[in-house]
């Protein structure tokens, strides 16, 4: 029956998505943090072992955070999404934006901003979940979440500034940073643009878009709510058309 099949399909899709996200995050933390900042001479075996440990810690931390969220019992999905946004939005986005736009931010400064923001966000979230922070002082839960996001953003920026100020990058790192921004400042020449580059990955985009459309179509068939079926069906149809456009970029005669 559809009513019994729907929870399992949702669970399988969620597990696949979380698994892929864990692999991406583990790869970034292993290569860009552990290998580049902490163990520059690490072998492939050491990096693989560290990647496995990071994946294990990410999974354990995610389950722990899920249990903390579930402990609240009455939190809606929207409130949970806002809470997660308050924890991870600033620490993950601001260091990346600063590294691409602010020339004096160093790698260790970006890492310090990330750590400061994560610790602040998790601390504020736990204070609310365990009743340490009295929401009555802040008006309501939404006001507290807004303040939580602001404080997390401020601590992330503070970590970026302080971490970059006290860091002493090597001459090689300074040279690499200057070369990076020099290449960013240099405009792209018309001779460097190939007409075929823009369509080289069109088949991959088309297949990926069609795959998502297929999942939405299956969700449309399984869903019990009429509004959900309409939304999933329309979204699947739009993605099918977009996938066809990608495919025609590579095959104009189709």
């Amino acid at each position: 029956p559809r009513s019994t099949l729907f929870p399992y399909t949702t669970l399988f899709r969620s597990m696949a998505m979380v698994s892929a996200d864990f692999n991406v995050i583990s790869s970034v933390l292993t290569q860009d943090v552990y290998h580049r900042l902490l163990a520059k001479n690490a072998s492939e075996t050491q990096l693989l072992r560290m990647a496995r440990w990071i994946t294990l810690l990410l999974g354990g931390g995610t389950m722990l955070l899920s249990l903390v969220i579930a402990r609240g019992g009455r939190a809606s999905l929207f409130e949970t999404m806002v809470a997660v946004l308050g924890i991870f939005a600033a620490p993950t986005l601001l260091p990346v934006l600063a590294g691409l736009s602010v020339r004096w931010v160093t790698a260790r400064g970006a890492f310090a901003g990330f750590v400061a923001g994560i610790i602040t966000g998790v601390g504020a979230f736990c204070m609310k979940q365990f009743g340490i922070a009295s929401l009555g002082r802040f008006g309501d839960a939404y006001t507290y979440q807004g303040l939580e996001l602001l404080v997390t953003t401020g601590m992330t920026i503070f970590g970026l500034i302080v971490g970059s100020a006290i860091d002493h990058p090597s001459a090689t790192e300074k040279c690499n940073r200057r070369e990076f921004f020099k290449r960013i400042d240099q405009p792209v020449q018309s001779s460097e643009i190939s007409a075929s580059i823009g369509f080289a990955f069109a088949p991959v985009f088309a297949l990926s878009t069609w795959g998502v459309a297929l999942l939405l179509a299956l969700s449309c068939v399984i869903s019990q709510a009429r509004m959900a079926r309409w939304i999933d069906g329309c979204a699947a149809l739009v993605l099918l058309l977009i996938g066809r456009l990608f495919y025609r970029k590579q095959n104009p005669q189709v």
Side-chain angles (χ1 to χ4, degrees), residues 84-96:
V84 174
L85 178 67
I87 295 175
F88 294 105
T92 54
L93 292 178
L94 291 181
V96 175

Side-chain angles (χ1 to χ4, degrees), residues 18 56 76 94 107 114-115 137 158 166 175 183 190 220 238 242:
V18 170
L56 178 63
S76 65
L94 291 181
F114 172 78
V115 172
R137 299 179 180 178
F158 178 77
I166 65 176
C175 180
R183 295 180 62 182
S190 58
C220 175
V238 171
I242 294 175

Side-chain angles (χ1 to χ4, degrees), residues 114-173:
F114 172 78
V115 172
I118 289 293
I119 292 176
T120 304
V122 172
F125 177 77
C126 292
M127 288 176 63
K128 182 183 67 175
Q129 288 297 117
F130 292 102
I132 300 175
S134 177
L135 296 182
R137 299 179 180 178
F138 303 97
D140 53 26
Y142 295 109
T143 304
Y144 181 86
Q145 289 171 344
L147 293 174
E148 176 187 356
L149 182 60
L150 290 176
V151 172
T152 303
T153 301
M155 288 302 298
T156 303
I157 297 175
F158 178 77
L160 283 169
I161 296 175
V162 175
S164 300
I166 65 176
D167 185 23
H168 299 286
S170 62
T172 302
E173 184 177 347

Side-chain angles (χ1 to χ4, degrees), residues 192-205 245-246 249-250:
E192 299 175 353
I193 302 176
S194 175
S196 61
I197 290 180
F199 310 126
F201 298 100
V204 178
F205 292 156
L245 291 177
F246 281 129
K249 290 292 186 180
Q250 186 70 17

Side-chain angles (χ1 to χ4, degrees), residues 169-181:
S170 62
T172 302
E173 184 177 347
K174 292 180 180 179
C175 180
N176 291 336
R177 188 163 66 242
R178 285 195 299 267
E179 183 64 23
F180 172 76
F181 282 105

Side-chain angles (χ1 to χ4, degrees), residues 2 6-7 20 32 43 50 62-63 73 87 90 110 144 147 151 154 157 174 194 196 223 230 235:
R2 293 179 179 178
F6 178 72
D32 296 339
S43 63
M50 178 57 62
T62 302
M63 288 189 292
I87 295 175
Y144 181 86
L147 293 174
V151 172
I157 297 175
K174 292 180 180 179
S194 175
S196 61
S223 178
W230 272 101

Side-chain angles (χ1 to χ4, degrees), residues 24-131:
V24 172
I25 297 173
S26 175
S27 176
V28 171
L29 292 178
T30 302
Q31 292 293 338
D32 296 339
V33 177
Y34 176 75
H35 191 196
R36 182 173 297 180
L37 300 179
L38 303 177
K40 296 183 179 180
N41 298 322
S43 63
E44 291 295 330
T45 302
Q46 291 174 321
L47 294 177
L48 178 60
R49 187 181 299 115
M50 178 57 62
R52 290 173 176 172
W53 276 108
I54 291 176
T55 304
L56 178 63
L57 292 175
L58 286 173
T62 302
M63 288 189 292
L64 179 62
L65 183 61
S66 301
L67 292 175
V68 173
I69 294 175
R71 182 183 179 275
R74 293 174 293 182
S76 65
L77 179 60
F78 176 76
E79 292 174 342
T80 303
M81 292 174 61
V82 172
V84 174
L85 178 67
I87 295 175
F88 294 105
T92 54
L93 292 178
L94 291 181
V96 175
L97 295 177
L100 293 173
S101 57
V102 183
R103 299 173 186 259
W104 49 263
V105 170
T106 65
R108 292 177 181 82
F111 183 69
F114 172 78
V115 172
I118 289 293
I119 292 176
T120 304
V122 172
F125 177 77
C126 292
M127 288 176 63
K128 182 183 67 175
Q129 288 297 117
F130 292 102

